[in-house]
Amino acid sequence: MSYIIFCIGISDPRQEYFDKLTTMTLQLVKAVASINYVECMEKLSHAERIRAYIDEHIHEAITLQTLSDNLHLSKSHIERVYHEKYEMSPIKYATNKKVQSASILLVHTNISIEELSQMFSFYDAANFSKCFKKVFSISPTKYRKLNR
């Protein structure tokens, strides 16, 4: 059966299955991580709450304004307390986390760079590639080729 599928030009069904399974696994991990989210958040410092919010919403666009709106803290307070604890801005952390998460998918799936940029809410593929290169000093395409 797979020989027939391959001959008529359809991509390897095992890879498509793996890609779908990977996407579903990411959704499951996100759902599990949100369990008791509110209860856990109440016990954390402001900086820890900011990081937890970013980790929970890694697939969304994250700005100081969205952090402020959702955590009910001022933008300047968010920047100050986060930098005091982690020695980087929350936006830099979010970008690095998105790029690192995408790098895993680059190596283990055939998800396109365009799709990854959308999955992690980058403005476009060019913006994603620029951010990726800042973190890894190599383009996403070269990273994929070198790490497969």
Side-chain angles (χ1 to χ4, degrees), residues 68-79:
S68 178
D69 292 345
N70 288 286
L71 298 172
H72 308 290
L73 301 168
S74 74
K75 292 187 283 189
S76 60
H77 182 70
I78 288 169
E79 283 193 302

Side-chain angles (χ1 to χ4, degrees), residues 5-105:
I5 292 171
F6 181 74
C7 288
I8 61 172
I10 297 174
S11 62
D12 184 356
R14 292 173 293 180
Q15 185 62 47
E16 289 178 26
Y17 174 77
F18 181 77
D19 291 346
K20 288 178 184 176
L21 185 60
T22 301
T23 301
M24 290 171 47
T25 301
L26 288 172
Q27 292 170 344
L28 179 61
V29 168
K30 185 177 178 183
V32 169
S34 69
I35 296 172
N36 293 324
Y37 179 73
V38 174
E39 184 180 306
C40 292
M41 289 291 277
E42 292 172 355
K43 297 177 184 176
L44 301 176
S45 71
H46 284 172
E48 292 167 330
R49 285 179 56 210
I50 295 162
R51 181 165 275 196
Y53 180 89
I54 292 168
D55 291 343
E56 174 68 21
H57 296 88
I58 198 68
H59 294 283
E60 300 170 18
I62 297 173
T63 65
L64 282 175
Q65 189 63 53
T66 58
L67 291 171
S68 178
D69 292 345
N70 288 286
L71 298 172
H72 308 290
L73 301 168
S74 74
K75 292 187 283 189
S76 60
H77 182 70
I78 288 169
E79 283 193 302
R80 185 175 45 78
V81 299
Y82 194 89
H83 196 276
E84 285 173 3
K85 181 160 180 93
Y86 298 112
E87 297 181 353
M88 71 168 39
S89 75
I91 301 307
K92 183 174 182 176
Y93 171 76
T95 302
N96 289 349
K97 181 85 173 179
K98 288 172 183 259
V99 166
Q100 289 169 353
S101 297
S103 73
I104 294 166
L105 294 174

